[in-house]
Amino acid sequence: MKRYLTKIIVFLLPIALVLLLPSIVLRKAGENFKSIDELVASDQKYLIGYAYNESNYKYLKWYSLQVKERCDILVLGASRVLQFREEMFTSSFYNAGFSIRSMSDIVPFLETIPDGKKPKILILGIDQLMFNEAADDLAVSKGTDFWENSFNKYVNGAVLKNFYTDYFNGKLKYKDRNDGIVRVGFNALINERGYRPDGSLNYGNQIGYLLNDDPAANDYHFEQTKKKIEKGIGGFQFGDEINPKALVKLREILAYCKKQKIELLAFLPPIADEAYRQMSESGKFGYFEGIIDEIQEPFAEYNFEVYSYPNATSCGSNDSEMIDGLHGGELCYQRLLIDMAKRSRILQKVTDLQKLKTDLLQAENRYCVYKD
Amino acid sequence: MTFTSLDFAVFLPLVFLIHWFATSRTLTSQNILIVIASAVFYGWWDWRFLFLILFSTILDFALGYAIFKSDNKKKRRLLLYTSVVLNLGLLGFFKYFNFFIENFKTAFSFFGMELEWGMLDIILPVGISFYTFQTLSYTIDIYRNKIEPTKDLLAFASYVSFFPQLVAGPIERARDMLPQFQVKRTFDYKNAVDGTRQILWGLFKKIVIADNCAEYANLIFNNSSDYAGSTLVLGGVFFTVQIYADFSGYSDIAIGTARLFGVRLSKNFSFPFFAQTLPELWRKWHMTLTLWLNEAVFVPLNLAFRDYGKTGMILAFLIYFGLIGLWHGANWTFIVFGLVHGLLFVPYIIRGTVGKKKKRAIGLAFPLPKEAVNMTITFTVFMLTCIIFRAENMQHAWSYFSNMFSSSLFTLPRFQNASDSLLTILFCAIFIIIEWIGREDAYALEKIGLKWKRPLRYAFYYAVVLCIFWFGGKEQDFIYFQF
């Protein structure tokens, strides 16, 4: 027995050492080994921002909708709806942005919301790329348990690799703050970046970098976006035609909402003016402009609403209010919301146009309307 | 808890140390620990299901004794039937109730009658198909005078609930396993080291091979209508490798874990992908289930139908394979999977070659040319039937085949993240090569590296561990838990 135990211990010791440091640090930061269930279900203010476990956000959004009281307004989309905050609405609200990546994810996600907790109004951000077969082939139809199973409790190889890289580069240093906000994950602890209890995203130190014109900002001067457009990658895949299958999927979404008595308001979110110009000039994104014309009819048929904002200017914003090439800041989205609220039958019931305008005038800075 | 969870990584060493340090003095204390540890292991899923195992354990313990004591043939038979009906009744209720209700309703509606029977909201207890068969084997063995009943309820409870094989087998017969809980177990160094190596290999199969294949198999099966025929073939291959690596990986971990406690479990897989015929594949695939059903169902049926010659044998095989399919779950896909295999046996039955062994490359680095062709054909046929097995329902299976056997079969496979799958394909290739090298052993890694110098051997084991941590796929439940 002694021989066996010695052998096992000698064999496992290096592995244990490799695992021990990350396990302790990752647990302390809440990146791994910690459930967020209790925190999400509580009234505690929090900021959940993972550095290595992005898929946990899908679980966060799913779980929030399971345990929170029914919200009147649900925002759903990829990352380009995350700027909507509860302060912008007069009814109960939750932002489930970042839960979906494809048009085919939308109905399965809505199906995971328990009966009786389904929203009255759905604000759906449909990224234009979802109509481009090269970027979204609609093949990833997720089972309804996908979101529930998206939580990485334990460390895996990718987490370990990234952890050690960041650790030895001295990136994982942070100070504990006593401001009553529970921070979970390195992004929240170090970069102040993460999800608020209303599901919206606090962009954290990215805002500071942008305000200071610091090259440390992600997508500084839209350089990465411009490269992606040039190469036709990262959501900017070239495409001439609108994917007809996407239109079929869209009709399924409309029919589902009608059946569930959910009022649907959709919008095509803006990209930076500079990026939009580059795309138009390249002539390789033929699908982009024609989307709104194709989808207006089915929306009208179901008595739902749809609005299109191809670039920052189209919603009264400009590139100085864009966080990166694809994402507008809060000001940009407040302008977009005001524009929709002026025209929308659905939004009239849940927004205070005057308040939205006043808040906009009193904005914190050119990216943030509301204080955290 | 599952074998790949952190909970189990804490649970196993703890139970191991208690077993050999605190409770090693007497058989009773060893068995008490096994029963308690098994209850914790099983109760981790849902403690309420413990009552089911307790019921089965006490029932068969008592019935086994009563069968043995009785000299009256009719009474013995009645007692056996009681055991069979109650055990299979429980299994049937939890696993098949809704399935039968649904099909009865469909059948009656065909004749214009509407049945008002409602479905029940039943949760399937984990591993019920495995331990039901195991407890049944006890009463059947006593009835057939193959074993005598034990008076030691603790030993019997240890046999029924032994945690390494409780939820997904191997399905052990009482005559093989029960005696191991009736003598005090002693620690055997070689056995423990080899068991640990087998656990390592099982984890590699499950986490690196099965979980990675699952990602692509799920993607392709869930969206089969959107993919070209060639991609669907790849989906079938991914799933076939997944189910083998998943289940045989589980079996390796179970057998290896049992060996740490001085218990020997039966081999469950014997490199089925290297089989040259379907009958040979079934002698190598889920061997403990096929052996169990062979003894309990096929042999008696074959005997009963012996007057009908080959027709009788075909009928016996069809029933046998139909039951294998049904055992897997309450879905027509499983039943059809079984029946198709039964039908595929017909040519072998007619030619009298069911048990025939083909020439194979023993000790050679590469398969013989004919052997390679036979293996490829057998794998392909099996893979095609696995598509039925994996499909959501028969309609899905049908549409999968329709899309697969179309002109797009001859295009290049294309799906989202296809380039990422190359790494998985590479790992599958390495996995198959290692399996081929170790094909004559109990498990592939049994002897590989044993003669290497220690640094090289350890480097190899560390490489396996590294792969598990670095390249492990997204955690998926063991497929066979659902059965």
Side-chain angles (χ1 to χ4, degrees):
Chain A
M1 172 60 87
K2 263 187 188 170
R3 197 177 156 205
Y4 174 74
L5 286 179
T6 311
K7 200 165 194 170
I8 287 293
I9 289 167
V10 168
F11 181 76
L12 290 179
L13 202 61
I15 299 169
L17 286 176
V18 170
L19 291 176
L20 196 64
L21 173 73
S23 299
I24 294 169
V25 179
L26 289 165
R27 190 182 189 287
K28 188 166 179 277
E31 277 281 339
N32 291 94
F33 306 109
K34 266 189 187 171
S35 163
I36 52 170
D37 291 3
E38 211 175 306
L39 178 64
V40 171
S42 71
D43 294 329
Q44 178 76 47
K45 262 191 157 186
Y46 61 74
L47 192 66
I48 297 178
Y50 295 103
Y52 310 129
N53 296 289
E54 240 187 25
S55 76
N56 287 7
Y57 296 140
K58 293 187 168 53
Y59 176 85
L60 164 69
K61 298 298 170 88
W62 169 82
Y63 186 71
S64 297
L65 289 168
Q66 308 300 309
V67 294
K68 281 181 186 291
E69 288 194 4
R70 181 195 181 182
C71 54
D72 290 339
I73 308 153
L74 178 73
V75 172
L76 185 60
S79 60
R80 294 166 71 193
V81 296
L82 289 170
Q83 298 78 353
F84 287 117
R85 296 179 61 170
E86 61 184 351
E87 288 87 343
M88 298 176 178
F89 299 90
T90 54
S91 282
S92 56
F93 163 92
Y94 188 71
N95 191 328
F98 204 67
S99 302
I100 60 154
R101 280 182 65 181
S102 161
M103 190 88 88
S104 52
D105 295 342
I106 295 168
V107 170
F109 181 81
L110 291 171
E111 280 175 345
T112 67
I113 304 172
D115 289 338
K117 288 196 173 182
K118 291 207 164 48
K120 287 179 187 165
I121 296 171
L122 176 67
I123 299 177
L124 182 65
I126 310 177
D127 289 4
Q128 290 86 345
L129 66 88
M130 292 178 185
F131 292 94
N132 178 11
E133 194 180 358
D136 180 6
D137 64 5
L138 302 170
V140 194
S141 173
K142 294 168 179 99
T144 47
D145 57 353
F146 169 79
W147 289 271
E148 187 178 358
N149 295 329
S150 288
F151 195 80
N152 287 333
K153 191 171 180 187
Y154 304 121
V155 292
N156 56 33
V159 172
L160 283 178
K161 194 164 63 182
N162 291 328
F163 171 83
Y164 274 112
T165 311
D166 289 345
Y167 186 79
F168 289 117
N169 286 331
K171 282 186 180 175
L172 300 182
K173 289 173 187 159
Y174 60 89
K175 285 180 191 165
D176 289 325
R177 295 179 182 85
N178 288 318
D179 55 4
I181 298 174
V182 178
R183 288 171 178 78
V184 177
F186 281 124
N187 239 327
L189 289 162
I190 299 167
N191 302 323
E192 273 296 298
R193 182 175 178 148
Y195 288 96
R196 305 178 184 99
D198 69 356
S200 64
L201 180 67
N202 181 343
Y203 275 88
N205 62 0
Q206 166 80 353
I207 302 297
Y209 291 142
L210 289 168
L211 289 170
N212 297 325
D213 196 27
D214 188 332
N218 292 330
D219 202 17
Y220 181 64
H221 288 186
F222 312 129
E223 279 165 8
Q224 286 162 22
T225 299
K226 284 190 263 184
K227 274 183 196 162
K228 285 180 191 171
I229 294 170
E230 195 183 321
K231 291 182 180 172
I233 56 170
F236 293 99
Q237 284 85 342
F238 304 133
D240 290 329
E241 305 289 330
I242 292 170
N243 183 6
K245 284 182 187 167
L247 298 173
V248 175
K249 282 280 175 210
L250 181 69
R251 279 190 175 272
E252 287 173 16
I253 297 164
L254 298 174
Y256 180 83
C257 289
K258 184 59 92 185
K259 193 180 164 196
Q260 296 291 333
K261 299 190 170 80
I262 299 170
E263 285 197 276
L264 175 63
L265 177 145
F267 72 99
L268 307 174
I271 59 170
D273 289 336
E274 203 174 332
Y276 179 74
R277 212 164 25 248
Q278 190 186 347
M279 283 173 74
S280 302
E281 285 167 4
S282 75
K284 292 175 179 172
F285 299 90
Y287 78 92
F288 198 93
E289 288 296 347
I291 297 170
I292 189 66
D293 295 333
E294 285 283 347
I295 64 176
Q296 256 168 349
E297 191 191 316
F299 271 88
E301 203 178 298
Y302 282 88
N303 200 21
F304 292 144
E305 299 174 10
V306 63
Y307 303 93
S308 174
Y309 300 97
N311 54 20
T313 304
S314 64
C315 60
S317 180
N318 58 56
D319 280 359
S320 71
E321 291 177 357
M322 294 296 289
I323 288 171
D324 56 41
L326 272 174
H327 303 92
E330 260 173 45
L331 258 80
C332 173
Y333 276 75
Q334 185 102 330
R335 293 185 199 284
L336 181 149
L337 184 65
I338 290 169
D339 184 70
M340 290 198 296
K342 279 180 191 166
R343 298 190 270 162
S344 166
R345 161 186 58 85
I346 297 170
L347 283 180
Q348 266 177 12
K349 293 179 267 183
V350 290
T351 50
D352 179 344
L353 204 52
Q354 195 50 49
K355 181 183 176 295
L356 285 174
K357 286 178 183 171
T358 311
D359 290 348
L360 192 64
L361 291 171
Q362 294 167 355
E364 283 284 296
N365 54 51
R366 68 176 200 262
Y367 298 102
C368 305
V369 180
Y370 303 99
K371 268 187 189 171
D372 273 303
Chain B
M1 70 185 83
T2 62
F3 285 163
T4 52
S5 66
L6 192 69
D7 304 331
F8 189 73
V10 175
F11 171 84
L12 179 61
L14 204 67
V15 177
F16 175 81
L17 291 174
I18 297 172
H19 187 273
W20 294 118
F21 285 106
T23 64
S24 63
R25 284 193 180 172
T26 63
L27 172 66
T28 308
S29 58
Q30 283 184 338
N31 284 347
I32 287 174
L33 177 72
I34 290 295
V35 172
I36 293 172
S38 301
V40 172
F41 178 82
Y42 195 67
W44 215 257
W45 271 285
D46 194 327
W47 60 270
R48 290 169 301 179
F49 296 150
L50 286 171
F51 292 107
L52 276 178
I53 298 189
L54 187 68
F55 174 76
S56 284
T57 305
I58 294 172
L59 175 83
D60 286 309
F61 181 77
L63 286 174
Y65 198 71
I67 292 170
F68 180 72
K69 279 283 167 194
S70 173
D71 293 327
N72 185 322
K73 257 190 170 182
K74 275 188 181 172
K75 192 181 170 191
R76 281 168 64 86
R77 191 175 295 166
L78 184 73
L79 289 165
L80 176 71
Y81 285 167
T82 309
S83 169
V84 172
V85 168
L86 286 176
N87 277 299
L88 293 185
L90 271 181
L91 178 65
F93 174 75
F94 280 101
K95 197 164 175 176
Y96 302 105
F97 182 82
N98 284 340
F99 175 71
F100 284 121
I101 292 288
E102 196 182 339
N103 281 284
F104 270 127
K105 283 169 89 171
T106 310
F108 276 87
S109 69
F110 187 73
F111 296 106
M113 289 183 272
E114 291 299 325
L115 294 181
E116 292 297 313
W117 299 346
M119 309 280 237
L120 295 179
D121 193 11
I122 301 169
I123 304 168
L124 180 66
V126 179
I128 190 170
S129 308
F130 291 91
Y131 66 73
T132 301
F133 273 35
Q134 196 150 305
T135 54
L136 259 182
S137 91
Y138 177 70
T139 46
I140 293 172
D141 277 358
I142 292 171
Y143 178 78
R144 289 178 177 169
N145 297 318
K146 286 184 177 168
I147 55 166
E148 288 191 6
T150 176
K151 289 178 183 170
D152 185 350
L153 179 61
L154 197 59
F156 184 69
S158 303
Y159 155 67
V160 175
S161 67
F162 188 47
F163 70 89
Q165 45 87 250
L166 174 61
V167 291
I171 300 166
E172 293 293 339
R173 288 169 304 179
R175 61 177 178 271
D176 295 329
M177 196 171 161
L178 185 55
Q180 299 185 64
F181 291 102
Q182 291 172 313
V183 287
K184 192 172 147 251
R185 297 175 291 280
T186 50
F187 183 78
D188 181 79
Y189 170 77
K190 275 192 172 177
N191 204 20
V193 170
D194 202 27
T196 310
R197 203 181 297 121
Q198 193 161 3
I199 292 172
L200 182 66
W201 184 237
L203 288 171
F204 176 84
K205 282 185 187 177
K206 164 65 183 155
I207 297 172
V208 180
I209 305 299
D211 286 355
N212 277 310
C213 284
E215 204 173 310
Y216 301 106
N218 290 344
L219 174 73
I220 295 169
F221 272 87
N222 289 347
N223 304 280
S224 54
S225 58
D226 296 328
Y227 287 127
S230 55
T231 309
L232 297 182
V233 171
L234 198 61
V237 173
F238 273 131
F239 177 68
T240 310
V241 177
Q242 179 204 344
I243 194 170
Y244 168 62
D246 187 284
F247 194 20
S248 70
Y250 184 94
S251 296
D252 280 336
I253 300 170
I255 295 167
T257 305
R259 292 172 79 178
L260 294 181
F261 294 91
V263 176
R264 183 181 39 77
L265 297 181
S266 307
K267 195 174 175 178
N268 217 11
F269 289 86
S270 184
F271 311 100
F273 289 168
F274 306 137
Q276 296 188 62
T277 62
L278 270 183
E280 190 190 350
L281 187 143
W282 277 105
R283 286 194 293 273
K284 292 165 174 279
W285 183 276
H286 202 175
M287 293 150 76
T288 56
L289 173 70
T290 51
L291 189 67
W292 197 100
L293 281 173
N294 186 50
E295 279 189 6
V297 178
F298 179 74
V299 172
L301 278 179
N302 202 23
L303 213 62
F305 299 156
R306 65 184 178 276
D307 294 340
Y308 303 100
K310 285 184 175 172
T311 313
M313 192 185 249
I314 289 170
L315 197 61
F317 264 114
L318 281 174
I319 295 170
Y320 167 71
F321 274 109
L323 285 175
I324 285 181
L326 186 65
W327 176 88
H328 284 93
N331 194 331
W332 280 104
T333 52
F334 297 129
I335 299 169
V336 173
F337 165 81
L339 290 175
V340 167
H341 275 281
L343 289 172
L344 289 167
F345 261 57
V346 172
Y348 296 99
I349 298 166
I350 291 168
R351 285 186 294 173
T353 56
V354 172
K356 194 182 169 188
K357 287 182 180 171
K358 297 225 173 191
K359 198 177 170 188
R360 59 197 179 94
I362 299 170
L364 297 178
F366 297 99
L368 305 169
K370 199 175 173 189
E371 185 184 10
V373 172
N374 288 339
M375 286 190 313
T376 310
I377 293 170
T378 306
F379 177 83
T380 307
V381 172
F382 186 65
M383 181 271 289
L384 291 173
T385 61
C386 282
I387 289 171
I388 306 172
F389 188 96
R390 171 60 177 78
E392 298 297 320
N393 47 49
M394 282 313 296
Q395 206 179 351
H396 182 207
W398 182 253
S399 74
Y400 196 101
F401 282 124
S402 307
N403 291 340
M404 191 165 88
F405 294 111
S406 62
S407 56
S408 61
L409 182 60
F410 304 101
T411 58
L412 273 177
R414 185 175 162 268
F415 55 97
Q416 217 171 44
N417 305 330
S419 56
D420 295 349
S421 73
L422 291 177
L423 190 65
T424 300
I425 292 169
L426 177 71
F427 271 117
C428 288
I430 294 170
F431 165 62
I432 297 292
I433 290 168
I434 293 176
E435 289 262 300
W436 174 257
I437 294 169
R439 69 194 181 280
E440 304 298 337
D441 304 321
Y443 63 96
L445 216 61
E446 189 183 15
K447 288 174 188 158
I448 292 175
L450 286 188
K451 289 180 184 169
W452 298 351
K453 287 191 174 169
R454 188 177 288 179
L456 186 63
R457 191 168 74 239
Y458 270 62
F460 176 67
Y461 295 143
Y462 277 122
V464 176
V465 173
L466 191 73
C467 286
I468 290 170
F469 277 105
W470 222 257
F471 300 107
K474 194 161 171 49
E475 191 183 346
Q476 317 266 344
D477 280 344
F478 283 96
I479 293 179
Y480 268 69
F481 281 179
Q482 63 184 296
F483 307 137

